[in-house]
Amino acid sequence: MQISICYAGSWRVLPSTKTLVTIGRPNKEVSVDLDLSPDTTVSRLHAKAYESNGAIWIEDLKSKYGTLLNGTKITQPTSIQSGDTITIGETLLRIDLQPNKK
């Protein structure tokens, strides 16, 4: 899984070999796989992305402001397609199952 992250106009890419990625902002009590600090509109445990049966799913973890998929708030685990945009707080994510190979 490869995750592209945009916050405050700056993009970064996180390649991951994990099939489950927890997303949020860590503190002493909470650890996450994808730290979206300094975006303070992201909950500590905000969402999770995971692979299942060859697809990628996104699930909101009862966050304060919710998780949007292509501008629509999700209320249950939802599969994502290549090119979909996930909004968590003020951060944009794009998740690809197979990263582009050069």
Side-chain angles (χ1 to χ4, degrees):
M1 179 181 325
Q2 177 175 289
I3 305 171
S4 300
I5 306 142
C6 182
Y7 177 70
S10 179
W11 283 94
R12 61 186 168 114
V13 176
L14 173 73
S16 177
T17 57
K18 294 184 175 197
T19 57
L20 170 65
V21 176
T22 56
I23 303 165
R25 293 182 306 119
N27 66 12
K28 289 187 292 187
E29 292 86 29
V30 176
S31 67
V32 296
D33 299 308
L34 178 56
D35 179 0
L36 296 184
S37 298
D39 186 345
T40 58
T41 59
V42 173
S43 296
R44 294 294 177 188
L45 280 176
H46 196 106
K48 66 181 178 180
Y50 56 94
E51 295 178 33
S52 179
N53 297 323
I56 302 175
W57 297 78
I58 186 78
E59 181 178 345
D60 186 78
L61 298 176
K62 298 182 181 163
S63 65
K64 183 174 183 178
Y65 298 110
T67 300
L68 306 178
L69 177 62
N70 298 323
T72 302
K73 188 172 185 175
I74 62 170
T75 57
Q76 61 188 17
T78 305
S79 66
I80 62 173
Q81 307 298 315
S82 180
D84 284 348
T85 300
I86 300 160
T87 305
I88 294 180
E90 297 174 0
T91 303
L92 300 178
L93 303 176
R94 294 208 176 159
I95 303 174
D96 294 305
L97 185 59
Q98 297 294 330
N100 294 331
K101 298 187 179 185
K102 295 184 179 185

